[in-house]
Amino acid sequence: TTENFGRIAAQTAKQVVLQRLREAERESVFEDFTGKEGELVSGIVLRVEGGRRQVILDLGRTEAVLPAAEQIRAEHYRVGQRLRVFVKEVYKASKGPQVVVSRANPALLRRLFELEVPEIGRGVVEIMAIARDAGHRAKIAVISRQDGIDPIGACVGVRGARIQNIINELGGERIDIIRWDPLKEAFVANAL
């Protein structure tokens, strides 16, 4: 410091340092969540804005937005409620990184199955297609990549334990698991 380093100069220096720290933290958060795009994260509901138009979630180091279009219609969110969400998009905005999450995206269902069914996580059973009407019904087409493994049985689990955990996470959404077939006629018959 110099002899004539006054109060105003000290205040300016303090503001510059704090601004640089905020920018570095925003950059760090952006880098973290860019890597989590397409993943499942858990958050706590901070507030519900404008009659459910959007929900703000606390993800730890940052906040995320759950827009009305990405919500399940039948769900009602409470402050303090813990939710698992799919990180749909991360982008830079003027006020820092913005994280957009989803509960209605079919990829959320895929990630939940990968977590709950070890055969899917290992690649023994593969999810070929997902059709979802969020909150009501979903259909998942699965195929086994190994002889002797029933893809539907692996997804359902003993007494339906695996699928029940996923249904509970999605608030009672009905999930049909069907056998995928490369022949369109057989696949449609399985789906019906």
Side-chain angles (χ1 to χ4, degrees), residues 45-57 63-68 71 77-79 95 98:
V45 176
L46 284 179
R47 58 188 183 276
V48 180
E49 295 180 347
R52 266 198 63 201
R53 296 199 35 131
Q54 67 179 11
V55 177
I56 308 300
L57 296 167
E63 292 180 355
V65 178
L66 178 62
Q71 295 173 18
Y77 307 104
R78 303 177 315 276
V79 173
K95 57 182 183 236
Q98 293 293 302

Side-chain angles (χ1 to χ4, degrees), residues 12 31 39 45 62 64 76 83 90 93 126-127 132 169 190:
T12 304
E31 293 300 321
E39 294 295 318
V45 176
T62 190
H76 297 286
L83 284 179
V90 180
E126 187 177 343
I127 297 174
R132 183 174 182 214
E169 176 69 37
N190 290 345

Side-chain angles (χ1 to χ4, degrees), residues 157-172:
V158 179
R159 294 193 190 103
R162 291 176 176 173
I163 193 98
Q164 196 58 51
N165 290 339
I166 296 169
I167 290 170
N168 292 342
E169 176 69 37
L170 297 174

